[in-house]
Amino acid sequence: MTAALPPEHRQPMGGLRSRSGLFLAAIRALIALLFALWLWIAPPHAVLGGMRPVLLFEGYLAFALLMLGLAWRSWWFEFRLAGPAFCIDALTMLIGLAATEAVTFDFFSAFMTFYVFLMLTSVARWRRRNALYAAGGLVLCFLLAGLAVHDAGVPFDTTKFLRRLSTLAVLSLLLAWFAQGRQRPTVPRCDATESLAAGSAEADSPLARVLAYAMSLSEARGGLLAWATTDEPQPRLATDGTARLPAQPIALLPDADVPMLFDRARDRRLCLMPTGRLIADKAQAWPALVATGDEDTGLSIPLAGRTGRGHLVLHGMPGLNADDLFLAQSLAREVTAALDDEEARAMAREVSMARLRGQIATDLHDSVVQTLAGTRFRLEALRLGQSPADPQARDIAEICDSIAGEQDHVRAIIAQLRQGQILPGRRDLHGELAALARQLARHWAVTITLAPAASPLPVPTLLLYECQHLVREAVANAVRHGQAGTITLDLASAGGALRLAITDDGQGFACPPPHPLPATLATRAAALGGALALETGSGQTRLVFTLPLDVP
């Protein structure tokens, strides 16, 4: 799981989201208002029909204001009522054309604005085929209005009528041709390697950076991202903003396959199908990331890439509307491409590291192990030339035993390098450190005591190896730099943490306090998610390591 990125490091990128439904509702209200004003102030010779057109457009203005309010407050009703609203718009234009006899009179120019509004509405809401149907229907409405005026006995200019009819038909074809469904917004490239924060490694992980990118483009206040490669049983999670991690582990359900707006409290969703069609329905089941979230409304985006799949949920987007589903398509494309690229880079790094580990293992075997073996062979030859009772012979034997122990240690490191990982399982830390303490005591000619334990202390193999390295380094520092003669090791575990204390009777630090922490030891402890504390007193130095027991 990944920590959230601090808000000050998220850079918003505006200008990519649109609210076409709200905009069209506002234009409808403006057209209705203008028509009502035009009909009130038009001279009698410009508009026929008396008060009927005025009443028509006053009622239409009330309807337009109602639709504007719905579009402002609810993406669900704005979408579900789009079809009936379009029919009312077209019917109003048809009745208005007939009532004002505008098909042949000068008031026709006002209806051109109405016609363009209807065409752009169909272009914005539906695919090209449906937009073509709408264009044909509007031309048919104009033709029917002309026939109605002609049948009413109004003087009719056939030439002017045909010219206007053909102009509307050509305009319909032009607008409908460019209605290839709403175009996907062009979004900037998502680079998962670009650092966004100078904080912890978790806060600046690829998942956190990708999530921050998606939130900045969508203007979301909260986001939750789940991603699992093909060989991962559980997804990795990242949160940002107001979103929180699920309390229980989640699985990526197969039904999270299309982008959707969701209203969990009312069981509503608006889905963008692969064909480009928008479908509003009641949800039978929610994807795991939606069902476990704290927010009831938001945008759900499934992710499917070459190296894995995932799910992105965004909350708190101002003015959430159907247009955001088309932004979701572009976000999904960029996010999955960035995560796929990161996985490819990780695989390349792993291959490179495997080669490097193999080369280091070979170099260790051909240099250090062989050098230790040669040194031990020569010392054994010297010892055989001396009397067994000679004190130097005993010293040489102890040195040979120390070299043999170091050979075994280096061989274990070589095996780990070639395997690429430490063998799984758990081992008794107290028993392993007791054997290491005896070996180090012989090697450095000091007294090393391990405090007794009431029971074995099983720990992961990785933690065991790391503790062995810490003890080796600490003992070497105490003897070489502090001239210590007695060293005490103490182990304890409580609250999911391991406490390793190493105390020596050396000279301590030459510099005045505060004393700096030993760099190598502090780095090792931090890499394990732990900490190192230094305590100095009269005649002793104490290093206290606090390490998590759940190291994998």
Side-chain angles (χ1 to χ4, degrees):
M1 294 188 180
T2 304
L5 194 65
E8 59 269 20
H9 294 290
R10 297 194 298 267
Q11 300 297 326
M13 305 179 193
L16 293 177
R17 297 184 62 211
S18 64
R19 299 190 64 179
S20 60
L22 179 62
F23 176 77
L24 292 173
I27 294 299
R28 176 191 290 114
L30 180 60
I31 289 176
L33 177 62
L34 291 176
F35 261 92
L37 292 175
W38 290 337
L39 291 171
W40 270 109
I41 65 177
H45 69 275
V47 180
L48 302 179
M51 289 297 297
R52 290 177 299 170
V54 177
L55 296 176
L56 171 68
F57 281 97
E58 285 180 349
Y60 183 63
L61 176 59
F63 165 75
L65 293 175
L66 175 62
M67 292 302 299
L68 178 61
L70 289 176
W72 179 268
R73 296 182 59 86
S74 173
W75 55 264
W76 172 264
F77 286 112
E78 186 272 325
F79 175 79
R80 292 301 296 265
L81 297 178
F86 184 84
C87 293
I88 293 176
D89 294 336
L91 185 61
T92 301
M93 189 188 77
L94 174 62
I95 297 175
L97 284 170
T100 61
E101 289 91 14
V103 290
T104 59
F105 287 89
D106 293 336
F107 203 68
F108 174 77
S109 59
F111 279 93
M112 282 293 294
T113 304
F114 205 159
Y115 177 80
V116 171
F117 162 73
L118 291 174
M119 278 303 306
L120 292 179
T121 298
S122 66
V123 166
R125 293 193 178 280
W126 300 302
R127 293 173 294 170
R128 183 169 62 184
R129 184 180 63 181
N130 293 340
L132 286 171
Y133 290 157
L138 292 174
V139 173
L140 180 61
C141 287
F142 185 82
L143 179 60
L144 293 176
L147 294 177
V149 171
H150 182 269
D151 292 341
V154 177
F156 195 83
D157 188 338
T158 305
T159 302
K160 183 184 293 186
F161 173 77
L162 292 177
R163 184 171 66 247
R164 290 174 176 177
L165 178 64
S166 60
T167 300
L168 290 181
V170 173
L171 182 60
S172 300
L173 290 175
L174 286 174
L175 292 174
W177 174 257
F178 288 103
Q180 300 176 2
R182 262 166 290 185
Q183 297 296 319
R184 293 179 179 177
T186 302
V187 299
R189 182 175 178 270
C190 177
D191 187 358
T193 64
E194 181 180 355
S195 180
L196 298 179
S200 66
E202 285 189 346
D204 202 25
S205 68
L207 284 186
R209 292 193 290 268
V210 166
L211 179 57
Y213 161 86
M215 289 180 59
S216 66
L217 294 183
S218 62
E219 304 172 17
R221 293 195 299 268
L224 185 57
L225 172 62
W227 178 260
T229 57
T230 53
D231 57 349
E232 288 180 324
Q234 290 291 332
R236 291 168 285 155
L237 299 176
T239 62
D240 204 349
T242 59
R244 293 187 296 178
L245 289 171
Q248 301 295 329
I250 68 166
L252 295 176
L253 299 181
D255 57 349
D257 54 355
V258 293
M260 67 177 176
L261 303 180
F262 63 88
D263 186 343
R264 198 175 56 185
R266 298 178 177 85
D267 287 332
R268 295 171 177 169
R269 65 179 182 178
L270 177 60
C271 302
L272 176 60
M273 308 308 292
T275 59
R277 182 184 178 189
L278 292 172
I279 295 181
D281 61 6
K282 297 287 186 177
Q284 302 299 322
W286 296 110
L289 224 56
V290 173
T292 57
D294 295 331
E295 299 288 339
D296 287 333
T297 60
L299 176 61
S300 169
I301 308 174
L303 306 173
R306 302 185 309 273
T307 61
R309 64 191 185 98
H311 193 189
L312 173 62
V313 177
L314 300 171
H315 302 295
M317 297 169 59
L320 190 66
N321 66 101
D323 289 351
D324 292 319
L325 291 172
F326 297 92
L327 174 63
Q329 287 184 321
S330 298
L331 284 178
R333 183 177 65 250
E334 290 298 326
V335 166
T336 53
L339 292 174
D340 283 340
D341 291 345
E342 177 59 26
E343 293 294 336
R345 283 190 291 267
M347 294 176 63
R349 288 193 298 267
E350 182 60 30
V351 171
S352 178
M353 288 299 297
R355 293 174 179 172
L356 180 60
R357 287 193 298 265
Q359 186 61 47
I360 293 175
T362 301
D363 293 344
L364 283 175
H365 181 272
D366 295 343
S367 59
V368 177
V369 173
Q370 297 302 331
T371 300
L372 290 175
T375 302
R376 182 184 177 191
F377 177 79
R378 294 189 63 185
L379 288 173
E380 289 284 359
L382 290 174
R383 185 175 65 86
L384 292 176
Q386 295 178 345
S387 171
D390 192 336
Q392 291 185 352
R394 290 195 298 271
D395 292 341
I396 292 175
E398 290 179 357
I399 294 174
C400 289
D401 291 341
S402 296
I403 292 176
E406 289 301 320
Q407 283 182 290
D408 293 338
H409 179 64
V410 174
R411 288 194 181 99
I413 293 176
I414 292 173
Q416 296 171 27
L417 288 171
R418 287 175 173 168
Q419 292 167 358
Q421 62 180 359
I422 294 178
L423 294 176
R426 304 175 73 85
R427 294 165 67 175
D428 178 20
L429 178 60
H430 192 276
E432 296 284 349
L433 286 189
L436 178 62
R438 292 190 295 268
Q439 176 187 341
L440 294 176
R442 290 194 305 268
H443 181 78
W444 293 105
V446 295
T447 301
I448 301 179
T449 304
L450 177 62
S455 60
L457 181 57
V459 297
T461 307
L462 173 59
L463 183 58
L464 167 65
Y465 285 147
E466 291 295 336
C467 288
Q468 288 177 332
H469 285 301
L470 293 174
V471 171
R472 287 176 180 274
E473 180 73 16
V475 169
N477 289 343
V479 177
R480 290 188 300 166
H481 304 304
Q483 286 77 50
T486 302
I487 300 173
T488 302
L489 309 179
D490 189 11
L491 284 173
S493 63
L498 171 70
R499 181 178 178 273
L500 169 61
I502 304 174
T503 307
D504 68 78
D505 62 352
Q507 298 175 1
F509 292 84
C511 60
H515 305 300
L517 294 175
T520 303
L521 295 176
T523 301
R524 277 190 176 275
L528 293 171
L532 168 62
L534 173 63
E535 303 173 3
T536 58
S538 56
Q540 73 172 17
T541 300
R542 185 179 182 87
L543 298 175
V544 180
F545 298 90
T546 304
L547 307 172
L549 282 171
D550 58 351
V551 174

